[in-house]
Amino acid sequence: MSTNRILFTGGGSAGHVIVNLALIPIFQKEGWEIDYIGSKRGIERNLIEQLKGVTYYPISTGKLRRYMSKENFKDPFKVMKGTMQAWRIIGKRNPSIIFSKGGFVSVPVIMAAKMRGVPAVIHESDFTPGLANKLAIPFANKVLATFPETMKYLPEKKAEYVGAIIRDELFQGNKDKGLELCGFSKAKPVLLIMGGSGGSEKINNTVQASLDELLPVFQIAHICGQGKTDTSINRDGYKQFEYVNEVLKDLFAATDFVLSRAGSNAIFEFLALRKPMLLIPLSKEASRGDQIINAKSFVEKRYARVMEEEELTEDSLVHELSQLKEHAPIMMDNMKNYQSEKARDRVIEIIKNSGKK
């Protein structure tokens, strides 16, 4: 048995991959062999397969829907198939530990890990556990929380509060490169707009309809989502992207303010980088409401302002961004005491201590 082989899993959205992307380079530097189990067509495959030294294994997986669909009847069989595929992969690769970031693809992996007797550690990013992690936690050895308040939702003997894990590379951005990427100057502050890995049409449309009011105040870097850019808009001080990966650190370095969804990984990255943020969480109609709770927690700590999606109009957007700019010094002062390095180091320690001996 290899004592330095780790298997990662997690996917379905960029948020279920980002933490793995933060940890993988550290284990690679220490000589660990890295495997990854993900879905066949999820965003995790695109992000992980481009990493050198990481072997990607796609498996069958269902989708944990919260609405009626005939596909719901097929999903248990897909999960069973995925579990057997994961069981074979784990048997073949024989990792000493499995680390899961959640998402529906992780459920069959954690179940198979239990069947193989391989310890598994789960990391929960949101304020309350997601459905996939709720299903997987009984089969895991350890579950780690990003929010201290999450501990009350987790089994006491397995749970530990660690905080958020932030990618080192995000602290290494170059402001001048970020400005050059967008064609911006240093004359006005930069507002970064992110609607999640899939983008948000409502946020996109409202921002673009408000450019006449916003551009005199901000230069705007807008990550619109795959296939959601509008090529008919060509304005000075407004730059659109479908998705940003390698140069994200430079874009962050050039950013003064953020308008974003309230996915846990993203907002903790903004916190670690001390970026004042206006959050527009996914509504309960479009999600389980986790982003609403995440945003509320940040507002209570005075890290952010929040606006419900139902309240989003051109006028309300312009007003809230004006308020964000006014209250930014207070937010940045409150962010000073947050230290992300401790969370990452503790998670690495837990993973190493939890593996098969």
Side-chain angles (χ1 to χ4, degrees):
M1 180 191 77
S2 172
T3 58
N4 62 339
R5 187 190 299 276
I6 181 171
L7 189 150
F8 288 88
T9 188
S13 70
H16 288 128
V17 188
I18 285 174
V19 169
N20 290 338
L21 290 173
L23 294 175
I24 286 172
I26 297 171
F27 283 93
Q28 285 181 317
K29 287 179 182 178
E30 296 185 6
W32 288 62
E33 296 181 44
I34 313 290
D35 297 307
Y36 200 108
I37 294 181
S39 63
K40 296 178 180 178
R41 289 178 290 274
I43 190 172
E44 66 273 18
R45 187 166 193 172
N46 295 330
L47 293 173
I48 298 299
E49 282 194 330
Q50 55 187 286
L51 299 179
K52 293 181 180 179
V54 179
T55 306
Y56 187 89
Y57 295 91
I59 64 169
S60 173
T61 180
K63 183 176 181 180
L64 303 175
R65 300 174 184 83
R66 294 175 178 82
Y67 54 87
M68 290 300 297
S69 168
K70 62 181 182 181
E71 295 298 317
N72 291 343
F73 298 100
K74 302 178 183 178
D75 286 338
F77 299 99
K78 293 179 181 178
V79 172
M80 289 174 61
K81 181 179 179 181
T83 301
M84 294 312 300
Q85 289 172 325
W87 184 83
R88 286 192 291 269
I89 294 165
I90 293 169
K92 175 184 176 183
R93 302 304 292 165
N94 196 20
S96 59
I97 186 70
I98 291 174
F99 182 81
S100 168
K101 192 57 206 69
F104 49 82
V105 72
S106 68
V107 176
V109 180
I110 301 303
M111 293 173 64
K114 183 70 173 181
M115 294 162 61
R116 283 289 190 184
V118 177
V121 176
I122 291 174
H123 185 268
E124 174 56 62
S125 288
D126 288 315
F127 194 98
T128 60
L131 179 55
N133 276 347
K134 283 183 179 178
L135 294 173
I137 284 171
F139 303 96
N141 299 73
K142 191 86 173 175
V143 54
L144 312 179
T146 299
F147 291 88
E149 299 93 336
T150 309
M151 294 295 289
K152 63 185 177 184
Y153 302 102
L154 302 174
E156 185 177 351
K157 292 182 179 180
K158 291 184 178 182
E160 181 174 335
Y161 162 67
V162 294
I165 305 165
I166 309 298
R167 293 171 283 176
D168 277 345
E169 65 189 70
L170 296 183
F171 297 95
Q172 301 163 8
N174 184 298
K175 180 175 181 177
D176 290 336
K177 287 183 179 179
L179 292 173
E180 183 181 358
L181 175 70
C182 299
F184 293 167
S185 70
K186 296 181 180 179
K188 283 187 290 190
V190 174
L191 170 66
L192 174 65
I193 298 174
M194 300 176 63
S197 56
S200 165
E201 288 189 11
K202 184 167 185 179
I203 292 176
N204 292 353
N205 294 338
T206 307
V207 167
Q208 290 164 351
S210 307
L211 290 178
D212 287 342
E213 290 76 27
L214 296 177
L215 287 177
V217 183
F218 305 101
Q219 298 173 106
I220 300 175
H222 190 171
I223 303 176
C224 301
Q226 192 74 34
K228 292 186 172 67
T229 56
D230 187 340
T231 56
S232 70
I233 300 176
N234 185 16
R235 302 283 299 270
D236 289 340
Y238 178 68
K239 177 67 174 179
Q240 299 179 71
F241 302 90
E242 285 196 353
Y243 185 76
V244 178
N245 191 7
E246 289 85 359
V247 295
L248 184 62
K249 62 182 184 296
D250 298 323
L251 198 54
F252 278 174
T255 294
D256 299 289
F257 307 99
V258 174
L259 166 64
S260 174
R261 288 297 197 190
S264 175
N265 293 303
I267 63 177
F268 272 101
E269 287 179 347
F270 302 143
L271 170 59
L273 295 168
R274 298 180 188 173
K275 305 295 182 183
M277 58 193 104
L278 170 62
L279 303 178
I280 304 178
L282 274 169
S283 66
K284 285 189 175 180
E285 286 72 23
S287 71
R288 65 184 179 91
D290 52 301
Q291 290 197 9
I292 295 173
I293 303 172
N294 293 347
K296 181 181 178 182
S297 173
F298 266 45
V299 169
E300 289 174 350
K301 295 179 176 71
R302 303 183 78 181
Y303 295 154
R305 293 182 64 81
V306 66
M307 178 168 59
E308 301 296 338
E309 185 166 346
E310 293 80 4
E311 300 171 354
L312 179 59
T313 65
E314 294 173 40
D315 289 340
S316 66
L317 177 64
V318 172
H319 173 74
E320 281 298 329
L321 287 173
S322 174
Q323 291 295 299
L324 174 66
K325 188 176 180 182
E326 180 179 337
H327 290 88
I330 297 173
M331 293 181 187
M332 294 174 72
D333 190 57
N334 291 330
M335 293 174 177
K336 286 180 180 177
N337 294 326
Y338 182 76
Q339 295 180 316
S340 61
E341 297 87 354
K342 292 182 179 180
R344 183 199 63 194
D345 293 344
R346 178 56 185 151
V347 170
I348 293 170
E349 181 183 11
I350 290 169
I351 291 173
K352 290 179 178 178
N353 291 339
S354 300
K356 289 193 293 186
K357 307 301 181 184

mmCIF file of all heavy atoms in Angstrom, residues 104-136:
data_model
loop_
_atom_site.group_PDB
_atom_site.id
_atom_site.type_symbol
_atom_site.label_atom_id
_atom_site.label_comp_id
_atom_site.label_asym_id
_atom_site.label_seq_id
_atom_site.Cartn_x
_atom_site.Cartn_y
_atom_site.Cartn_z
ATOM 1 N N PHE A 104 -22.900 16.308 -5.999
ATOM 2 C CA PHE A 104 -23.562 15.008 -6.140
ATOM 3 C C PHE A 104 -22.618 13.886 -6.543
ATOM 4 O O PHE A 104 -22.845 12.738 -6.230
ATOM 5 C CB PHE A 104 -24.739 15.110 -7.113
ATOM 6 C CG PHE A 104 -24.425 15.780 -8.421
ATOM 7 C CD1 PHE A 104 -23.834 15.102 -9.462
ATOM 8 C CD2 PHE A 104 -24.746 17.116 -8.612
ATOM 9 C CE1 PHE A 104 -23.554 15.711 -10.663
ATOM 10 C CE2 PHE A 104 -24.463 17.752 -9.817
ATOM 11 C CZ PHE A 104 -23.870 17.045 -10.845
ATOM 12 N N VAL A 105 -21.512 14.211 -7.243
ATOM 13 C CA VAL A 105 -20.588 13.158 -7.660
ATOM 14 C C VAL A 105 -19.857 12.538 -6.475
ATOM 15 O O VAL A 105 -19.362 11.407 -6.555
ATOM 16 C CB VAL A 105 -19.567 13.705 -8.685
ATOM 17 C CG1 VAL A 105 -18.551 14.632 -8.019
ATOM 18 C CG2 VAL A 105 -18.850 12.560 -9.397
ATOM 19 N N SER A 106 -19.789 13.243 -5.355
ATOM 20 C CA SER A 106 -19.022 12.751 -4.209
ATOM 21 C C SER A 106 -19.743 11.648 -3.438
ATOM 22 O O SER A 106 -19.103 10.863 -2.728
ATOM 23 C CB SER A 106 -18.705 13.906 -3.250
ATOM 24 O OG SER A 106 -19.878 14.387 -2.615
ATOM 25 N N VAL A 107 -21.064 11.578 -3.558
ATOM 26 C CA VAL A 107 -21.828 10.619 -2.752
ATOM 27 C C VAL A 107 -21.423 9.170 -3.043
ATOM 28 O O VAL A 107 -21.078 8.421 -2.114
ATOM 29 C CB VAL A 107 -23.347 10.822 -2.944
ATOM 30 C CG1 VAL A 107 -24.136 9.760 -2.172
ATOM 31 C CG2 VAL A 107 -23.751 12.216 -2.482
ATOM 32 N N PRO A 108 -21.422 8.711 -4.304
ATOM 33 C CA PRO A 108 -20.989 7.327 -4.553
ATOM 34 C C PRO A 108 -19.534 7.078 -4.176
ATOM 35 O O PRO A 108 -19.175 5.965 -3.789
ATOM 36 C CB PRO A 108 -21.210 7.142 -6.057
ATOM 37 C CG PRO A 108 -21.334 8.502 -6.626
ATOM 38 C CD PRO A 108 -21.887 9.365 -5.552
ATOM 39 N N VAL A 109 -18.686 8.102 -4.265
ATOM 40 C CA VAL A 109 -17.272 7.938 -3.912
ATOM 41 C C VAL A 109 -17.113 7.685 -2.415
ATOM 42 O O VAL A 109 -16.372 6.773 -2.001
ATOM 43 C CB VAL A 109 -16.450 9.178 -4.329
ATOM 44 C CG1 VAL A 109 -14.982 8.996 -3.957
ATOM 45 C CG2 VAL A 109 -16.586 9.434 -5.826
ATOM 46 N N ILE A 110 -17.799 8.470 -1.602
ATOM 47 C CA ILE A 110 -17.688 8.305 -0.142
ATOM 48 C C ILE A 110 -18.316 6.982 0.294
ATOM 49 O O ILE A 110 -17.809 6.299 1.198
ATOM 50 C CB ILE A 110 -18.337 9.486 0.591
ATOM 51 C CG1 ILE A 110 -17.656 10.796 0.187
ATOM 52 C CG2 ILE A 110 -18.237 9.306 2.100
ATOM 53 C CD1 ILE A 110 -16.175 10.841 0.437
ATOM 54 N N MET A 111 -19.401 6.586 -0.343
ATOM 55 C CA MET A 111 -20.006 5.283 -0.031
ATOM 56 C C MET A 111 -19.037 4.150 -0.380
ATOM 57 O O MET A 111 -18.863 3.207 0.403
ATOM 58 C CB MET A 111 -21.326 5.132 -0.787
ATOM 59 C CG MET A 111 -22.418 6.083 -0.333
ATOM 60 S SD MET A 111 -23.909 6.023 -1.379
ATOM 61 C CE MET A 111 -24.461 4.349 -1.102
ATOM 62 N N ALA A 112 -18.406 4.243 -1.540
ATOM 63 C CA ALA A 112 -17.454 3.210 -1.953
ATOM 64 C C ALA A 112 -16.233 3.194 -1.045
ATOM 65 O O ALA A 112 -15.670 2.131 -0.763
ATOM 66 C CB ALA A 112 -17.029 3.454 -3.408
ATOM 67 N N ALA A 113 -15.811 4.358 -0.572
ATOM 68 C CA ALA A 113 -14.678 4.431 0.347
ATOM 69 C C ALA A 113 -14.974 3.658 1.629
ATOM 70 O O ALA A 113 -14.114 2.921 2.142
ATOM 71 C CB ALA A 113 -14.365 5.893 0.671
ATOM 72 N N LYS A 114 -16.188 3.808 2.126
ATOM 73 C CA LYS A 114 -16.592 3.071 3.328
ATOM 74 C C LYS A 114 -16.553 1.564 3.070
ATOM 75 O O LYS A 114 -16.082 0.783 3.914
ATOM 76 C CB LYS A 114 -18.002 3.504 3.743
ATOM 77 C CG LYS A 114 -18.504 2.869 5.026
ATOM 78 C CD LYS A 114 -17.759 3.399 6.234
ATOM 79 C CE LYS A 114 -18.389 2.891 7.533
ATOM 80 N NZ LYS A 114 -17.677 3.413 8.727
ATOM 81 N N MET A 115 -17.031 1.152 1.906
ATOM 82 C CA MET A 115 -17.034 -0.267 1.549
ATOM 83 C C MET A 115 -15.614 -0.823 1.449
ATOM 84 O O MET A 115 -15.370 -1.981 1.768
ATOM 85 C CB MET A 115 -17.765 -0.459 0.211
ATOM 86 C CG MET A 115 -19.257 -0.137 0.270
ATOM 87 S SD MET A 115 -19.991 0.125 -1.377
ATOM 88 C CE MET A 115 -19.701 -1.446 -2.157
ATOM 89 N N ARG A 116 -14.680 0.015 1.020
ATOM 90 C CA ARG A 116 -13.283 -0.402 0.859
ATOM 91 C C ARG A 116 -12.458 -0.213 2.128
ATOM 92 O O ARG A 116 -11.293 -0.615 2.184
ATOM 93 C CB ARG A 116 -12.629 0.391 -0.271
ATOM 94 C CG ARG A 116 -13.002 -0.044 -1.673
ATOM 95 C CD ARG A 116 -12.379 -1.382 -2.013
ATOM 96 N NE ARG A 116 -12.533 -1.715 -3.430
ATOM 97 C CZ ARG A 116 -12.137 -2.864 -3.957
ATOM 98 N NH1 ARG A 116 -11.563 -3.779 -3.193
ATOM 99 N NH2 ARG A 116 -12.310 -3.109 -5.242
ATOM 100 N N GLY A 117 -13.046 0.408 3.141
ATOM 101 C CA GLY A 117 -12.312 0.634 4.374
ATOM 102 C C GLY A 117 -11.270 1.733 4.271
ATOM 103 O O GLY A 117 -10.284 1.742 5.021
ATOM 104 N N VAL A 118 -11.493 2.684 3.343
ATOM 105 C CA VAL A 118 -10.570 3.810 3.174
ATOM 106 C C VAL A 118 -11.148 5.028 3.888
ATOM 107 O O VAL A 118 -12.293 5.409 3.630
ATOM 108 C CB VAL A 118 -10.350 4.137 1.683
ATOM 109 C CG1 VAL A 118 -9.442 5.357 1.526
ATOM 110 C CG2 VAL A 118 -9.762 2.938 0.958
ATOM 111 N N PRO A 119 -10.406 5.656 4.776
ATOM 112 C CA PRO A 119 -10.921 6.831 5.495
ATOM 113 C C PRO A 119 -11.251 7.970 4.540
ATOM 114 O O PRO A 119 -10.572 8.163 3.524
ATOM 115 C CB PRO A 119 -9.764 7.227 6.421
ATOM 116 C CG PRO A 119 -8.890 6.022 6.495
ATOM 117 C CD PRO A 119 -9.039 5.298 5.194
ATOM 118 N N ALA A 120 -12.308 8.728 4.866
ATOM 119 C CA ALA A 120 -12.728 9.847 4.030
ATOM 120 C C ALA A 120 -12.968 11.074 4.891
ATOM 121 O O ALA A 120 -13.560 10.992 5.974
ATOM 122 C CB ALA A 120 -14.000 9.492 3.258
ATOM 123 N N VAL A 121 -12.508 12.202 4.393
ATOM 124 C CA VAL A 121 -12.702 13.499 5.047
ATOM 125 C C VAL A 121 -13.535 14.372 4.119
ATOM 126 O O VAL A 121 -13.242 14.489 2.931
ATOM 127 C CB VAL A 121 -11.358 14.192 5.345
ATOM 128 C CG1 VAL A 121 -11.584 15.580 5.930
ATOM 129 C CG2 VAL A 121 -10.513 13.343 6.278
ATOM 130 N N ILE A 122 -14.587 14.971 4.660
ATOM 131 C CA ILE A 122 -15.484 15.835 3.895
ATOM 132 C C ILE A 122 -15.292 17.276 4.351
ATOM 133 O O ILE A 122 -15.158 17.548 5.547
ATOM 134 C CB ILE A 122 -16.956 15.428 4.111
ATOM 135 C CG1 ILE A 122 -17.241 14.073 3.463
ATOM 136 C CG2 ILE A 122 -17.908 16.485 3.553
ATOM 137 C CD1 ILE A 122 -18.632 13.544 3.758
ATOM 138 N N HIS A 123 -15.302 18.189 3.399
ATOM 139 C CA HIS A 123 -15.258 19.617 3.731
ATOM 140 C C HIS A 123 -16.572 20.260 3.306
ATOM 141 O O HIS A 123 -16.958 20.191 2.146
ATOM 142 C CB HIS A 123 -14.088 20.299 3.029
ATOM 143 C CG HIS A 123 -13.905 21.735 3.421
ATOM 144 N ND1 HIS A 123 -14.486 22.769 2.733
ATOM 145 C CD2 HIS A 123 -13.212 22.308 4.439
ATOM 146 C CE1 HIS A 123 -14.153 23.923 3.305
ATOM 147 N NE2 HIS A 123 -13.388 23.670 4.339
ATOM 148 N N GLU A 124 -17.267 20.869 4.259
ATOM 149 C CA GLU A 124 -18.542 21.548 3.984
ATOM 150 C C GLU A 124 -18.317 23.052 3.982
ATOM 151 O O GLU A 124 -17.924 23.640 4.978
ATOM 152 C CB GLU A 124 -19.585 21.180 5.050
ATOM 153 C CG GLU A 124 -20.890 21.945 4.937
ATOM 154 C CD GLU A 124 -21.551 21.798 3.579
ATOM 155 O OE1 GLU A 124 -21.922 20.680 3.190
ATOM 156 O OE2 GLU A 124 -21.689 22.841 2.882
ATOM 157 N N SER A 125 -18.580 23.679 2.840
ATOM 158 C CA SER A 125 -18.320 25.111 2.701
ATOM 159 C C SER A 125 -19.455 25.982 3.208
ATOM 160 O O SER A 125 -19.221 27.074 3.731
ATOM 161 C CB SER A 125 -18.052 25.460 1.232
ATOM 162 O OG SER A 125 -16.804 24.979 0.824
ATOM 163 N N ASP A 126 -20.697 25.526 3.033
ATOM 164 C CA ASP A 126 -21.833 26.388 3.333
ATOM 165 C C ASP A 126 -22.191 26.399 4.816
ATOM 166 O O ASP A 126 -21.752 25.560 5.594
ATOM 167 C CB ASP A 126 -23.045 25.959 2.507
ATOM 168 C CG ASP A 126 -22.890 26.315 1.041
ATOM 169 O OD1 ASP A 126 -22.457 27.454 0.756
ATOM 170 O OD2 ASP A 126 -23.171 25.461 0.184
ATOM 171 N N PHE A 127 -23.022 27.369 5.165
ATOM 172 C CA PHE A 127 -23.468 27.565 6.545
ATOM 173 C C PHE A 127 -24.207 26.338 7.053
ATOM 174 O O PHE A 127 -24.021 25.904 8.192
ATOM 175 C CB PHE A 127 -24.377 28.798 6.594
ATOM 176 C CG PHE A 127 -24.653 29.329 7.970
ATOM 177 C CD1 PHE A 127 -23.936 30.407 8.474
ATOM 178 C CD2 PHE A 127 -25.645 28.766 8.764
ATOM 179 C CE1 PHE A 127 -24.202 30.902 9.747
ATOM 180 C CE2 PHE A 127 -25.911 29.255 10.032
ATOM 181 C CZ PHE A 127 -25.188 30.325 10.531
ATOM 182 N N THR A 128 -25.049 25.752 6.193
ATOM 183 C CA THR A 128 -25.726 24.498 6.517
ATOM 184 C C THR A 128 -25.308 23.442 5.502
ATOM 185 O O THR A 128 -25.074 23.766 4.333
ATOM 186 C CB THR A 128 -27.265 24.649 6.493
ATOM 187 O OG1 THR A 128 -27.666 25.066 5.184
ATOM 188 C CG2 THR A 128 -27.722 25.684 7.515
ATOM 189 N N PRO A 129 -25.198 22.175 5.903
ATOM 190 C CA PRO A 129 -24.729 21.127 4.986
ATOM 191 C C PRO A 129 -25.638 20.965 3.777
ATOM 192 O O PRO A 129 -26.870 21.001 3.899
ATOM 193 C CB PRO A 129 -24.740 19.864 5.854
ATOM 194 C CG PRO A 129 -24.684 20.361 7.260
ATOM 195 C CD PRO A 129 -25.431 21.652 7.260
ATOM 196 N N GLY A 130 -25.021 20.778 2.608
ATOM 197 C CA GLY A 130 -25.781 20.512 1.401
ATOM 198 C C GLY A 130 -26.308 19.087 1.395
ATOM 199 O O GLY A 130 -25.876 18.234 2.185
ATOM 200 N N LEU A 131 -27.238 18.808 0.492
ATOM 201 C CA LEU A 131 -27.878 17.497 0.442
ATOM 202 C C LEU A 131 -26.866 16.384 0.179
ATOM 203 O O LEU A 131 -26.918 15.321 0.804
ATOM 204 C CB LEU A 131 -28.963 17.500 -0.638
ATOM 205 C CG LEU A 131 -29.734 16.193 -0.838
ATOM 206 C CD1 LEU A 131 -30.360 15.724 0.468
ATOM 207 C CD2 LEU A 131 -30.803 16.376 -1.922
ATOM 208 N N ALA A 132 -25.918 16.630 -0.733
ATOM 209 C CA ALA A 132 -24.918 15.600 -1.033
ATOM 210 C C ALA A 132 -24.099 15.261 0.207
ATOM 211 O O ALA A 132 -23.875 14.077 0.514
ATOM 212 C CB ALA A 132 -24.001 16.071 -2.156
ATOM 213 N N ASN A 133 -23.659 16.264 0.921
ATOM 214 C CA ASN A 133 -22.876 15.992 2.126
ATOM 215 C C ASN A 133 -23.719 15.371 3.234
ATOM 216 O O ASN A 133 -23.221 14.541 4.007
ATOM 217 C CB ASN A 133 -22.208 17.280 2.623
ATOM 218 C CG ASN A 133 -20.901 17.562 1.900
ATOM 219 O OD1 ASN A 133 -20.366 16.705 1.213
ATOM 220 N ND2 ASN A 133 -20.392 18.776 2.057
ATOM 221 N N LYS A 134 -24.970 15.735 3.317
ATOM 222 C CA LYS A 134 -25.852 15.086 4.301
ATOM 223 C C LYS A 134 -25.919 13.581 4.061
ATOM 224 O O LYS A 134 -25.906 12.785 5.010
ATOM 225 C CB LYS A 134 -27.266 15.678 4.224
ATOM 226 C CG LYS A 134 -27.414 17.041 4.893
ATOM 227 C CD LYS A 134 -28.868 17.491 4.815
ATOM 228 C CE LYS A 134 -29.072 18.836 5.493
ATOM 229 N NZ LYS A 134 -30.477 19.294 5.379
ATOM 230 N N LEU A 135 -25.978 13.204 2.774
ATOM 231 C CA LEU A 135 -26.028 11.780 2.431
ATOM 232 C C LEU A 135 -24.685 11.095 2.673
ATOM 233 O O LEU A 135 -24.635 9.915 3.038
ATOM 234 C CB LEU A 135 -26.426 11.616 0.963
ATOM 235 C CG LEU A 135 -27.847 12.056 0.592
ATOM 236 C CD1 LEU A 135 -28.038 12.007 -0.917
ATOM 237 C CD2 LEU A 135 -28.894 11.198 1.290
ATOM 238 N N ALA A 136 -23.595 11.838 2.498
ATOM 239 C CA ALA A 136 -22.264 11.241 2.578
ATOM 240 C C ALA A 136 -21.692 11.195 3.984
ATOM 241 O O ALA A 136 -20.873 10.318 4.296
ATOM 242 C CB ALA A 136 -21.307 12.007 1.655
#
